[in-house]
Amino acid sequence: MIDPDGFRPNVGIILSNEQRRLFWGRRIGQNAWQFPQGGIRSDETPLEAMYRELEEEVGLLPEQVTVLGCTQGWLRYRLPRRFIRRRCGPICIGQKQVWFMLRVDCGESSFCLDRSEKPEFDAWRWVRYWHPLREVVYFKRHVYAQALEELAPLLYPEGTPQPEHPEESGKAAVKRHVDAPRPGGQHRAPRVVGQMRQRRR
């Protein structure tokens, strides 16, 4: 389902634990990390799509999480030209997303990355709040910044010590709401918490 402007409706999922760390998943077969996300079907609400994607990509059920809130309106990002498939219609130029902030109410043993036939992730770990801005693929960074900034009060209400924003620390990889250039260099190998379990036949 693609809207008249060429954007595919989508949900993004930010999972947090008791220490306010965020779930960070490694895309299967790649050294690329991101939050869970997925398309909204024509017969779904964003909330319904979020719960479906949560189970498919992370293996968690609605009763194992608490929805803390979501972004207001759509947040959009455009795909680089080389990723746009122009020979099939309608043409999708990017995603428009509603982002949800969830609290995990179950143990890590409940996480299952191969619940669906086409898993999205093969490993995951917990990261600090602003860490994703330094590691997510460059063309999604401004959307991640928007979502994290809008949803931060859900984890850090007034009077709670706030995590240091990378822009405020002088070590920003991106400016708020602005696309950053493609990153260079290599990241240190991350400490992985969860690996994909072998699917039982």
Side-chain angles (χ1 to χ4, degrees), residues 15-189:
L15 289 162
S16 62
N17 66 7
E18 293 180 350
Q19 291 75 44
R20 299 189 179 96
R21 297 295 179 95
L22 307 183
F23 173 97
W24 196 226
R26 185 176 67 192
R27 297 196 64 178
I28 192 165
Q30 304 177 41
N31 185 28
W33 296 75
Q34 66 176 52
F35 291 131
Q37 69 174 62
I40 302 173
R41 297 171 181 169
S42 59
D43 60 345
E44 289 181 318
T45 66
L47 183 65
E48 291 169 339
M50 184 275 292
Y51 280 130
R52 176 179 52 77
E53 291 292 339
L54 179 67
E55 182 175 5
E56 290 177 359
E57 297 192 0
V58 187
L60 298 184
L61 302 175
E63 58 267 25
Q64 295 175 309
V65 298
T66 297
V67 178
L68 301 179
C70 65
T71 54
Q72 302 301 306
W74 298 104
L75 303 182
R76 292 173 169 81
Y77 70 83
R78 289 177 175 267
L79 294 168
R81 290 183 179 180
R82 66 182 182 279
F83 293 149
I84 298 176
R85 301 173 182 175
R86 300 188 179 277
R87 296 185 178 180
C88 59
I91 295 174
C92 176
I93 65 169
Q95 309 272 11
K96 64 177 186 180
Q97 300 176 308
V98 175
W99 282 88
F100 290 85
M101 176 70 77
L102 309 182
R103 184 185 68 228
V104 176
D105 297 327
C106 61
E108 294 178 358
S109 61
S110 297
F111 287 53
C112 178
L113 303 183
D114 59 351
R115 184 64 58 86
S116 68
E117 289 299 317
K118 294 183 178 180
E120 182 71 23
F121 304 118
D122 61 12
W124 67 275
R125 70 192 199 269
W126 296 114
V127 298
R128 295 182 184 276
Y129 193 81
W130 296 110
H131 176 86
L133 296 187
R134 297 194 297 268
E135 201 169 49
V136 72
V137 65
Y138 69 101
F139 60 86
K140 294 183 181 180
R141 281 183 176 168
H142 71 289
V143 163
Y144 272 51
Q146 288 178 305
L148 288 169
E149 288 171 5
E150 183 174 342
L151 299 176
L154 299 176
L155 283 188
Y156 299 92
E158 187 175 352
T160 303
Q162 302 288 315
E164 186 176 44
H165 192 290
E167 184 173 275
E168 294 164 354
S169 70
K171 299 178 182 179
V174 295
K175 293 183 179 179
R176 296 184 187 182
H177 312 314
V178 178
D179 280 318
R182 178 189 294 274
Q186 298 294 323
H187 292 289
R188 180 178 299 175

